[in-house]
Amino acid sequence: MKNRYLQTSGLLGLLLLASPVFGQNYEQIAKQIVNTSAGVKPGELVMITGGKHTLPLMEAIAVEVARAGGQPNMLLNTDKVARATSVEMPESAIQASKSSNWLLGADVLISLPGVEDTKAVLAGTTPERQAKFSKVAAEAGVNQKLDATKLRGVSVTFPSKSFAANQQMDYASYEQMVWAGIGTDYAAISVQAQQIKQLLATGKKVHITSPSGTDLTFQLAARPMFVDDGVLTAADQQEKMILNRTVALPGGRIYGTCQETSGTGRLVASPSTWNGKPFQGFKAEFKGGQMTNAKAEVGDEDFQKWLALNDASLMKLGYFSIGLNPAMKVQEQKGYTPATAAGMVLVGAGGNELQGGQNKGGTGINLAIANATVEVDGQVIVRNGQLVSPTTAKAASGGKKMQK
């Protein structure tokens, strides 16, 4: 589960071939980002954001943008500055970032992680500060303005030793997985995504279960479904909704909203982190779409403080996603549940207007459900955390009927 206050811009992604060796060839990576994924054209304003630890790749991207005839602009962050803003700035001075205005006039945003060690940066922060940041961001309404822009772009996960250490993962294996995830077969992912998208576009009821106790149903609402297949095509670049003009790498997932008042049942989330701290044993009930009786066995105090500072009525079910990337691997007991991992299911409550939903507000929670089974109108598309081809599932269902 992720606190959206902590999320960097989830707008955009990149396409590149990858291996641990290739992952260090920043010039080659930059060519893929700028020319293949973003398709930068002469004269375009390209904003490049990231942290100090990502500077070598940021620089390579800026150079490649210039070679393509674009106008590169870099916006650099550091952990020390991020901590000063997040924790040390007087609470009375918290207001919407004026630097967001440049986003509305840019042609392309290429974003890398702005913080290397989130746990250290946010140590000592309070739920009150987080709630205020969320409130001023929502009031600024930048997200709601993005659909009307021409912005497109890419966002890349940059392997961090601090992140791997905080999650108790072997860094070398984690780094190799990230580069492999970035370089996976996105053509195959795209085919699979379109099959699932068609099923969800015409489906009515989704049922999610898991061995840990999740048993949740909700209704689809003929809303837009978004596909992140790691590639921004020429057609994607002309889409009206910003989320159709964005990808993130490692990419590979399909996501969208549901009928907000339809969620019914129980959700048991996989272990995760909250503000860099362990967050485990989370359970919640949904009735009429409203999240109730939400409680965690570990990390509940911070969560309850955060929940109390936000309008509980806004915490309606409103978002779900299914991961499609076969190279990304879940390490559930270590709290590592990447949304793009093939078969990974994510359910969100709270604001979903950017995805075309009706839940207002700029905050919410994302809850990972590992080893889930997902049915759409009785047709299985994920079984025990493994993707099932809609075509295969349909054939199997037909076969069973013939045997009766």
Side-chain angles (χ1 to χ4, degrees):
M1 192 236 27
K2 295 181 180 178
N3 182 342
R4 289 183 192 168
Y5 165 74
L6 304 181
Q7 290 180 320
T8 56
S9 173
L11 293 180
L12 321 162
L14 64 106
L15 176 65
L16 47 105
L17 301 173
S19 69
V21 175
F22 179 79
Q24 304 303 315
N25 189 338
Y26 295 136
E27 183 176 356
Q28 187 176 357
I29 294 173
K31 289 180 183 294
Q32 293 291 329
I33 297 170
V34 173
N35 302 318
T36 304
S37 292
V40 173
K41 304 176 183 64
E44 288 190 320
L45 174 61
V46 181
M47 304 302 302
I48 305 158
T49 68
K52 183 171 66 174
H53 62 300
T54 71
L55 187 55
L57 182 53
M58 290 176 65
E59 181 182 56
I61 291 168
V63 168
E64 196 58 38
V65 167
R67 289 172 177 169
Q71 300 176 18
N73 280 268
M74 296 171 61
L75 186 63
L76 182 68
N77 199 10
T78 70
D79 283 22
K80 188 172 184 178
V81 172
R83 178 166 176 79
T85 302
S86 301
V87 181
E88 300 171 9
M89 177 189 291
E91 193 167 325
S92 60
I94 295 175
Q95 58 181 298
S97 174
K98 295 180 179 179
S99 65
S100 297
N101 293 332
W102 56 257
L103 189 64
L104 302 177
D107 297 292
V108 180
L109 171 65
I110 298 174
S111 61
L112 285 77
V115 170
E116 182 175 12
D117 190 345
T118 300
K119 182 178 181 180
V121 166
L122 291 178
T125 191
T126 65
E128 289 81 7
R129 288 182 67 86
Q130 294 182 20
K132 188 162 185 179
F133 273 112
S134 296
K135 183 175 183 291
V136 297
E139 291 173 348
V142 174
N143 285 345
Q144 286 70 31
K145 299 174 183 177
L146 291 174
D147 285 345
T149 70
K150 55 186 176 181
L151 183 70
R152 68 184 191 277
V154 298
S155 173
V156 55
T157 294
F158 195 94
S160 162
K161 291 183 178 180
S162 296
F163 175 80
N166 290 338
Q167 299 295 136
Q168 299 183 331
M169 296 189 296
D170 174 69
Y171 176 70
S173 299
Y174 161 69
E175 181 188 31
Q176 184 174 2
M177 179 186 64
V178 170
W179 295 128
I182 287 172
T184 197
D185 183 354
Y186 285 103
I189 285 179
S190 180
V191 171
Q192 191 172 36
Q194 292 303 323
Q195 292 177 343
I196 297 175
K197 181 179 180 180
Q198 183 177 6
L199 182 63
L200 291 170
T202 57
K204 295 181 179 179
K205 180 182 178 181
V206 175
H207 185 202
I208 302 174
T209 57
S210 75
S212 60
T214 294
D215 190 348
L216 182 67
T217 62
F218 55 83
Q219 301 293 321
L220 295 168
R223 303 257 181 83
M225 296 301 303
F226 303 94
V227 171
D228 175 0
D229 57 8
V231 180
L232 275 178
T233 66
D236 292 336
Q237 295 177 22
Q238 301 304 313
E239 289 280 353
K240 293 182 179 180
M241 298 185 73
I242 181 65
L243 293 182
N244 280 324
R245 304 195 300 268
T246 68
V247 290
L249 291 198
R253 68 184 183 121
I254 183 165
Y255 60 101
T257 65
C258 62
Q259 177 53 252
E260 289 82 1
T261 59
S262 67
T264 301
R266 190 181 196 216
L267 187 151
V268 180
S270 297
S272 186
T273 57
W274 184 276
N275 291 351
K277 303 175 186 177
F279 190 75
Q280 301 168 0
F282 180 87
K283 300 176 183 178
E285 304 289 336
F286 284 88
K287 184 176 181 180
Q290 184 70 46
M291 183 176 73
T292 62
N293 299 323
K295 187 177 179 61
E297 295 175 1
V298 178
D300 189 61
E301 183 177 356
D302 283 353
F303 169 73
Q304 295 298 338
K305 288 180 180 178
W306 172 84
L307 189 62
L309 290 166
N310 290 278
D311 186 348
S313 67
L314 299 179
M315 294 302 155
K316 292 186 176 67
L317 191 69
Y319 166 92
F320 71 99
S321 78
I322 299 172
L324 306 171
N325 193 320
M328 299 302 293
K329 304 299 181 183
V330 172
Q331 297 186 43
E332 185 181 11
Q333 295 310 310
K334 294 184 178 181
Y336 183 66
T337 51
T340 55
M344 187 69 238
V345 175
L346 209 69
V347 172
N352 66 356
E353 289 182 295
L354 190 60
Q355 293 92 355
Q358 298 178 0
N359 285 347
K360 298 186 182 298
T363 190
I365 57 173
N366 295 326
L367 301 155
I369 309 172
N371 303 311
T373 293
V374 181
E375 299 175 62
V376 180
D377 295 335
Q379 183 172 335
V380 176
I381 57 175
V382 179
R383 180 180 285 112
N384 297 326
Q386 302 296 315
L387 289 169
V388 178
S389 167
T391 302
T392 302
K394 187 174 182 179
S397 176
K400 290 179 180 179
K401 291 180 180 178
M402 290 177 65
Q403 292 172 9
K404 292 182 178 180

